[in-house]
Amino acid sequence: MLDRLQALADRYDKLSELLCDPDVSSDPKKLRDYSKEQSDLQESYEAYTEYKQVVEGLEEAKVMQGEKLDDEMREMVKMEIEELSQRKSELEEKIHILLLPKDPNDDKNVIVEIRGAAGGDEAALFASDLYRMYTRYADSKGWRVELMDVSESDLGGFKEVIFMINGKGAYSKLKFESGAHRVQRIPATESGGRIHTSTSTVAVMPEVEDVEVEILDKDIRIDTFCSSGAGGQSVNTTKSAVRVLHVPTGIMATCQDGKSQNENKAKALQVLRARISDIRRQEEEAKYAGERKSKVGTGDRSERIRTYNYPQSRVTDHRIGLTLHKLDSVMNGDMEEIISSLTIAEQADIMDRESV
């Protein structure tokens, strides 16, 4: 572990030199790539730097402990050794986690798709609640939300809503949200006061660059039509909405929220690339279906991952057995405890696999 950390520290220092090189500072691509690489290494570098300082301080304190000291000084040295030993253990655990294999998509923006599933209008209303939950969580992180497409139900819910969340690390936080979300509550349309169960599905996909998934003009068919519904009211007299079909795969993407046809086309192609990449990822994972699954699941949209029970003010994540009795806070975007627990479960799973 120490050899890996030293190599990492050496690379970090080398990047600091490169970023001061005039040839690099005048090359936007090199400057961007080196800055990102150093940023990715920074947390591990700082942890290793502190670890070396703690180990050095601990060795000095132990040497001092063997010297002739008065009672007061001996007690002070003893306390320092205890504190440094505890910090050393904490840093070792932190470094171990930092050195785990990292998902290459973790730092990316995400495209989120939410659809009302079983439950009709109530499922669509719950889909809009989930959209509000994610956008409020994004606001709390300082991320930017960009609506891409929406189809409203008669009661004001969302049959489908597609949006992008722009922010460093967005995928690392939201990648566990893919799956079926179940709600148990009394619908506004229920006169008898009976609790109904409905579901909405969530799909979270990392934003995909053009170079990662190349879409050739000859492989797509583009249709335009008049926008309608939320986001399209101001342009519903012109054919600004765009539907793009990827002929080889049959995958389609639609966008009507932008003010121009070109803007909607660019957004639709973003969604199309993400969907194509997501299908390829699922196909790769299917090859290893016989292997032990992760504790937090595979991200399959049909997998029921969480229940939101309104009468009991309860949120339960079924993958890790986590139950919180603070439904209102969660629906208002206070999701960090759930996300942190899922992240820890994933890290534990990776460590288990690496120790085999």
Side-chain angles (χ1 to χ4, degrees):
M1 182 180 81
L2 293 178
D3 289 341
R4 286 179 64 189
L5 286 167
Q6 188 57 54
L8 179 151
D10 292 342
R11 177 59 181 168
Y12 185 93
D13 290 335
K14 179 63 177 177
L15 288 167
S16 295
E17 294 179 17
L18 289 170
L19 289 170
C20 293
D21 188 326
D23 291 337
V24 172
S25 58
S26 62
D27 185 328
K29 185 179 184 306
K30 284 184 178 180
L31 185 63
R32 182 177 65 252
D33 291 346
Y34 289 153
S35 296
K36 183 182 183 306
E37 184 182 356
Q38 188 179 59
S39 177
D40 291 343
L41 295 176
Q42 185 168 350
E43 189 174 6
S44 297
Y45 176 82
E46 290 175 350
Y48 179 50
T49 300
E50 184 183 355
Y51 179 78
K52 289 192 295 183
Q53 293 172 347
V54 168
V55 169
E56 183 180 346
L58 188 58
E59 290 174 353
E60 291 176 355
K62 288 180 178 179
V63 170
M64 188 179 297
Q65 192 178 39
E67 298 175 354
K68 291 184 178 180
L69 304 171
D70 58 39
D71 291 343
E72 184 179 355
M73 182 61 72
R74 184 174 298 280
E75 186 62 27
M76 288 178 61
V77 171
K78 181 184 176 183
M79 289 177 60
E80 183 179 7
I81 290 174
E82 290 175 355
E83 290 173 0
L84 290 172
S85 297
Q86 181 179 347
R87 184 56 182 159
K88 179 172 176 285
S89 297
E90 292 170 352
L91 287 168
E92 286 172 344
E93 183 177 352
K94 180 179 180 178
I95 288 169
H96 191 181
I97 291 172
L98 288 171
L99 292 179
L100 290 175
K102 187 179 179 182
D103 188 326
N105 294 317
D106 273 355
D107 287 337
K108 290 186 176 181
N109 303 326
V110 295
I111 292 174
V112 184
E113 300 179 347
I114 306 175
R115 294 180 177 87
D121 285 331
E122 172 63 11
L125 289 169
F126 181 52
S128 67
D129 291 338
L130 290 174
Y131 169 73
R132 186 162 50 251
M133 177 181 77
Y134 291 128
T135 55
R136 288 180 177 177
Y137 176 71
D139 288 343
S140 73
K141 306 294 287 187
W143 298 338
R144 181 168 57 87
V145 177
E146 182 181 356
L147 187 63
M148 305 186 83
D149 196 33
V150 62
S151 173
E152 292 186 347
S153 69
D154 293 338
L155 295 182
F158 293 154
K159 296 177 182 177
E160 177 185 63
V161 59
I162 303 170
F163 56 102
M164 176 177 281
I165 296 179
N166 296 273
K168 182 177 173 60
Y171 186 73
S172 69
K173 294 287 189 179
L174 295 172
K175 61 183 176 182
F176 306 120
E177 294 302 301
S178 292
H181 295 241
R182 182 176 68 170
V183 62
Q184 295 172 326
R185 65 185 178 188
I186 301 171
T189 56
E190 172 57 51
S191 58
R194 293 172 298 178
I195 296 172
H196 284 223
T197 298
S198 305
T199 59
S200 294
T201 61
V202 176
V204 177
M205 302 170 290
E207 182 186 16
V208 178
E209 301 292 335
D210 297 14
V211 293
E212 296 176 81
V213 174
E214 184 180 15
I215 297 178
L216 303 176
D217 289 341
K218 67 181 182 65
D219 289 336
I220 60 175
R221 190 180 76 207
I222 300 176
D223 298 316
T224 59
F225 56 97
C226 293
S227 299
S228 62
Q233 297 295 345
S234 62
V235 288
N236 59 12
T237 58
T238 60
K239 290 188 175 182
S240 60
V242 174
R243 181 185 298 110
V244 183
L245 171 67
H246 187 245
V247 178
T249 62
I251 297 173
M252 185 182 296
T254 302
C255 185
Q256 62 175 336
D257 189 63
K259 299 295 185 184
S260 71
Q261 193 178 106
N262 285 338
E263 184 181 345
N264 284 328
K265 178 185 174 182
K267 288 182 178 181
L269 286 171
Q270 276 185 308
V271 175
L272 191 66
R273 277 192 293 270
R275 287 178 176 170
I276 292 171
S277 178
D278 190 50
I279 290 293
R280 291 175 181 174
R281 178 188 61 79
Q282 290 183 47
E283 289 173 348
E284 283 295 314
E285 289 182 351
K287 295 178 182 178
Y288 305 101
E291 296 182 4
R292 182 167 62 89
K293 290 184 178 180
S294 166
K295 292 174 184 174
V296 294
T298 60
D300 189 321
R301 297 185 198 188
S302 64
E303 179 188 6
R304 190 190 72 188
I305 63 169
R306 194 173 300 146
T307 294
Y308 305 75
N309 185 293
Y310 276 71
Q312 299 176 15
S313 187
R314 170 174 59 82
V315 180
T316 297
D317 195 288
H318 304 289
R319 296 163 293 181
I320 55 175
L322 174 69
T323 294
L324 302 175
H325 291 278
K326 55 176 188 177
L327 177 63
D328 288 346
S329 294
V330 172
M331 298 309 295
N332 277 316
D334 183 10
M335 301 175 61
E336 198 60 50
E337 187 172 353
I338 295 174
I339 290 171
S340 296
S341 298
L342 289 164
T343 301
I344 291 169
E346 182 195 44
Q347 292 168 346
D349 190 68
I350 294 171
M351 285 190 279
D352 285 346
R353 278 181 277 160
E354 290 214 323
S355 63
V356 173

